[in-house]
Amino acid sequence: MSAPVRVWLNRTYSENVFFIDQLRAAPRPIEIHATHTDPDSPVLAAADFGSLEPDRLSPEAYVEFALEFCARRRIDVFVPRLGQLALAVRRHEFEAIGTALVCPSAAAIAVFESKTDGYAAMDTLGLPTPLWRHVRTADELLAAVEDIEADGGRPCLKPATGAGGEGFRILTREPFGLRKLTGFPDATVQLDQVVAALAAVGSADLLVMPYLDGPEVSVDCLAAPDGRLLTAVGRAKQGRRRHFTTDPAYLEPTRRLIEEFGVSYLSNVQFRHHRGRPVVLDVNTRPSGGLHQLRLCGLNLPWAAVQLALGEAPAQLPEVGLLGADYTLVSGVQPVLPRQSLLPRQAPAPALEQAGAAVLGLV
């Protein structure tokens, strides 16, 4: 039997227990390493070797930790979520110790690190984006809200950087009242409160855009190392119901985006709708948490990405027209590591012990 391919997933989402399941379905032996700062992350229990990693390291110190980890564990393929940009900048150092990175180039990652930079770059190419405004001050925020209201939209606010729906709020001019204290909390926030908070701090890095209609369509992509799109399937969701789509209205802008910016390996492009027209909501230069759902279409994109990283041609990918049936998601049970089996935090590389300790507040 051939030696196992050693794959490392660093600090990642709980849903990636399913990413690990798909790697285990590969026709070759896979040895999976996972690290996290949360001892109760189910990804640690799902891996062959789960351990804690140091927290609060600078990007540079984290790269040093990762290089030492890869060398010590003889990692063949590293699938990073945390620290993608800093890691990609030093890709050649990982290659020198025999580790391939499953992430796009630093140039491609940098374009989408900031949502405002990403929207500006997509606008340059004529890709479909919503009306958006980059704001820093209270006056700029008010001007952006007035622009969106004049266009007939409902203004929303979110940080210019961040993952998923972190910091998303719907702005309202309705005064705060007791009605806000009934029912379940929602994502609305009073505009005057945000203006006052922004004026108090002076400036912040924010994005204002209209509320976009559903359904949300999340396109999972696999691209060659040179950025050539190999396959893409959209997952549409509205309410509980979910289905797959290969509608060109989503896949053609996705292809242009992936290939123009060279977004290699696994990525995800999210669409919503503005007046019935699909627009790009977000671009993730990493595999999505829902990537495993493409199993219903006969696709194992995690293993295909590992094959690409190893310099191999992926096995024949099924025709994307053969889509799975409609489905929904339900909660399940996933084990975590027993407390007594937890390993101590991984120490940084010896050369970084002093710097790492300082960052962690130990000296």
Side-chain angles (χ1 to χ4, degrees):
M1 181 178 291
S2 59
V5 179
R6 296 182 178 88
V7 179
W8 174 28
L9 280 69
N10 75 345
R11 203 177 315 179
T12 190
Y13 303 115
S14 296
E15 290 87 350
N16 273 341
V17 296
F18 304 117
F19 190 103
I20 291 174
D21 286 344
Q22 289 193 275
L23 289 179
R24 294 201 191 284
R28 292 171 56 184
I30 303 287
E31 181 180 286
I32 298 166
H33 298 249
T35 58
H36 208 288
T37 55
D38 180 2
D40 293 330
S41 168
V43 175
L44 298 183
D48 297 300
F49 298 95
S51 55
L52 296 174
E53 65 177 45
D55 199 4
R56 303 192 305 273
L57 292 181
S58 68
E60 295 76 16
Y62 191 85
V63 174
E64 295 295 340
F65 158 74
L67 283 165
E68 189 274 337
F69 185 95
C70 288
R72 176 162 45 86
R73 298 289 185 95
R74 294 179 294 161
I75 299 297
D76 299 302
V77 177
F78 178 17
V79 186
R81 186 201 68 82
L82 180 73
Q84 265 199 347
L85 180 57
L87 293 161
V89 165
R90 295 171 62 180
R91 184 187 300 269
H92 64 284
E93 295 182 51
F94 288 91
E95 293 173 346
I97 60 173
T99 300
L101 292 185
V102 173
C103 68
S105 68
I109 295 169
V111 171
F112 300 105
E113 279 281 287
S114 163
K115 291 179 172 60
T116 55
D117 290 345
Y119 280 134
M122 288 188 286
D123 284 347
T124 299
L125 292 178
L127 291 166
T129 60
L131 174 64
W132 61 277
R133 294 289 185 267
H134 184 200
V135 305
R136 297 179 180 84
T137 67
D139 287 343
E140 290 176 349
L141 172 64
L142 284 170
V145 167
E146 289 169 0
D147 282 350
I148 290 168
E149 289 177 337
D151 191 56
R154 187 181 183 190
C156 301
L157 181 73
K158 60 183 175 180
T161 58
E166 292 177 353
F168 172 79
R169 298 292 187 273
I170 300 171
L171 297 169
T172 178
R173 293 182 183 271
E174 177 184 330
F176 182 85
L178 286 178
R179 191 174 66 82
K180 285 286 291 181
L181 302 180
T182 62
F184 293 100
D186 59 29
T188 60
V189 64
Q190 276 60 41
L191 175 62
D192 59 348
Q193 294 180 352
V194 178
V195 169
L198 188 51
V201 298
S203 68
D205 196 17
L206 301 169
L207 188 68
V208 180
M209 58 199 308
Y211 184 83
L212 300 173
D213 298 324
E216 181 176 326
V217 177
S218 186
V219 182
D220 291 311
C221 307
L222 174 71
D226 62 4
R228 178 173 42 90
L229 185 65
L230 299 178
T231 193
V233 178
R235 294 179 284 110
K237 62 180 179 180
Q238 193 157 28
R240 288 183 182 273
R241 180 170 292 272
R242 305 187 178 219
H243 68 272
F244 300 104
T245 179
T246 55
D247 189 327
Y250 309 110
L251 264 58
E252 181 54 26
T254 295
R255 183 195 61 77
R256 286 190 57 208
L257 188 155
I258 295 298
E259 296 188 348
E260 290 281 355
F261 294 109
V263 186
S264 55
Y265 295 107
L266 297 170
S267 61
N268 176 263
V269 182
Q270 296 176 12
F271 292 84
R272 285 185 77 90
H273 297 77
H274 183 56
R275 295 173 181 160
R277 180 178 73 105
V279 292
V280 178
L281 175 64
D282 208 356
V283 179
N284 298 305
T285 59
R286 51 165 177 76
S288 68
L291 180 64
H292 64 95
Q293 295 165 34
L294 267 58
R295 290 184 294 189
L296 297 176
C297 301
L299 291 169
N300 186 340
L301 297 193
W303 169 237
V306 168
Q307 286 184 285
L308 288 171
L310 295 172
E312 303 171 0
Q316 184 66 36
L317 296 170
E319 291 290 333
V320 293
L322 303 176
L323 301 178
D326 288 9
Y327 64 103
T328 190
L329 301 179
V330 295
S331 299
V333 175
Q334 190 71 29
V336 296
L337 290 175
R339 290 284 182 181
Q340 61 268 27
S341 72
L342 290 175
L343 300 176
R345 287 184 181 271
Q346 297 286 347
L352 285 182
E353 285 182 355
Q354 191 66 25
V359 173
L360 293 170
L362 301 177
V363 297

